[in-house]
Amino acid sequence: MTAKPRLVISTGAGISAESGIRTFRDADGLWEEYPVMDVASADGFARNPALVHRFYNERRRALADVRPNRAHEILHELERDFDVYVITQNVDDLHERAGSTKVLHLHGELLKVRALDDENLTWAVGTDTETTPETRIDGHRVRPHIVFFQEAVPMFEPATQLAAEADIFVIIGTSLVVYPAAALLHYVRRGVPVYYIDPNPGEVPDGVTVIRKKATEGMAELAEILRHKYL
Ligand code: OAD
């Protein structure tokens, strides 16, 4: 038996749009009515931690009302024939809920909190968990497990490794404006086919096959292409 082709998929907010989670750049710099830098930056958190806790409590609660869509499901189904790795900028858990088994979260996870004094100490929480700046777990004050703007992206290094080992690389639903995530493409080996599904795609180098469609429709089309071309 030959090894399955390694399919590395980089996803952004657009893949969750059809599940009812709003994207960032489609909302004029507001994230659910809040200025992004108030709720998603290290400065914003230092200025008003209570607001930031409240904001992520709301985002976490909203996860209870959404479901994975067909695009998430197809990524899971592709595991039968491909060695699929998902690298997501999303903080929702829709890839996991759709069944994807190898998911790397570049920007953190809503369903985790972490110790303020130790970024490697995290705890899983439920959609109904509410935290405040005073909340303590095992004696540690906690914060949302989110990579804020102005902070390092610890999972970037392993993500570049995955990108470099891809036999096929796919980008879905990201504006490609937030770094370092947008730079992952540059780690893909020369000659490796790259596909980009987005109804309003950002700029990509020549040679990338752009599928100008929403994630559900674009993924259905791409799954057909992948099975015909690479199996
Ligand atoms: P953006 O909001 O910047 O981009 C969303 C992309 O999804 C755009 O290119 C849209 O055209 C596309 N899109 C919209 N609807 C779609 C659909 N139905 N199917 C497919 N694509 C669709 O989101 P990201 O690129 O993910 O960081 O943003 C990157 C980071 O910026 C986020 O991870 C977040 C944010 O600040 C943190 O939270 C740390």
Side-chain angles (χ1 to χ4, degrees), residues 155-171:
M155 296 308 281
F156 186 63
E157 174 75 34
T160 61
Q161 197 64 38
L162 289 177
E165 290 166 0
D167 295 319
I168 307 157
F169 192 74
V170 179
I171 306 164

Side-chain angles (χ1 to χ4, degrees), residues 12-14 18 23-25 89 107 147 149 173-175 178 198-200 215:
E18 289 165 88
T23 62
F24 305 94
R25 309 269 140 22
Q89 296 171 71
H107 292 163
V147 177
F149 283 106
T174 168
S175 54
V178 173
D198 196 302
N200 185 18

Side-chain angles (χ1 to χ4, degrees), residues 6 8 85 87 104 106 154-167 169 183-189:
R6 180 168 291 206
V8 179
Y85 286 82
I87 302 169
L104 180 156
L106 271 181
M155 296 308 281
F156 186 63
E157 174 75 34
T160 61
Q161 197 64 38
L162 289 177
E165 290 166 0
D167 295 319
F169 192 74
L184 274 181
L185 180 55
H186 305 307
Y187 291 83
V188 174
R189 285 169 299 150

Side-chain angles (χ1 to χ4, degrees), residues 122-159:
T122 62
W123 294 269
V125 294
T127 53
D128 56 354
T129 298
E130 302 211 335
T131 59
T132 70
E134 282 72 47
T135 303
R136 283 176 186 272
I137 301 181
D138 300 341
H140 298 268
R141 286 169 64 208
V142 300
R143 54 166 273 182
H145 183 50
I146 300 291
V147 177
F148 294 136
F149 283 106
Q150 301 146 349
E151 290 183 330
V153 182
M155 296 308 281
F156 186 63
E157 174 75 34

Side-chain angles (χ1 to χ4, degrees), residues 54-230:
R54 207 162 55 237
F55 178 77
Y56 289 99
N57 290 341
E58 286 169 16
R59 302 281 71 70
R60 212 177 281 131
R61 203 162 41 241
L63 280 187
D65 301 323
V66 296
R67 299 281 168 270
N69 63 51
R70 192 65 198 126
H72 297 102
E73 288 168 4
I74 292 172
L75 289 189
H76 163 56
E77 290 163 12
L78 284 168
E79 290 191 8
R80 209 185 53 195
D81 297 317
F82 295 87
D83 188 19
V84 181
Y85 286 82
V86 177
I87 302 169
T88 187
Q89 296 171 71
N90 300 340
V91 295
D92 65 53
D93 65 336
L94 295 181
H95 285 300
E96 287 89 345
R97 278 201 259 162
S100 283
T101 55
K102 289 173 284 197
V103 184
L104 180 156
H105 285 270
L106 271 181
H107 292 163
E109 293 173 70
L110 282 172
L111 294 183
K112 285 185 183 165
V113 295
R114 75 177 194 232
L116 260 188
D117 58 0
D118 181 354
E119 66 179 70
N120 295 313
L121 195 49
T122 62
W123 294 269
V125 294
T127 53
D128 56 354
T129 298
E130 302 211 335
T131 59
T132 70
E134 282 72 47
T135 303
R136 283 176 186 272
I137 301 181
D138 300 341
H140 298 268
R141 286 169 64 208
V142 300
R143 54 166 273 182
H145 183 50
I146 300 291
V147 177
F148 294 136
F149 283 106
Q150 301 146 349
E151 290 183 330
V153 182
M155 296 308 281
F156 186 63
E157 174 75 34
T160 61
Q161 197 64 38
L162 289 177
E165 290 166 0
D167 295 319
I168 307 157
F169 192 74
V170 179
I171 306 164
I172 310 172
T174 168
S175 54
L176 294 172
V177 298
V178 173
Y179 281 81
L184 274 181
L185 180 55
H186 305 307
Y187 291 83
V188 174
R189 285 169 299 150
R190 196 182 289 269
V192 166
V194 179
Y195 296 87
Y196 178 22
I197 300 171
D198 196 302
N200 185 18
E203 255 186 67
V204 280
D206 289 346
V208 173
T209 304
V210 177
I211 300 176
R212 225 173 241 278
K213 293 194 171 152
K214 289 186 174 182
T216 52
E217 203 187 334
M219 244 348 273
E221 185 173 316
L222 182 64
E224 284 301 306
I225 295 173
L226 294 177
R227 291 200 172 100
H228 280 107
K229 269 190 118 159
Y230 306 107

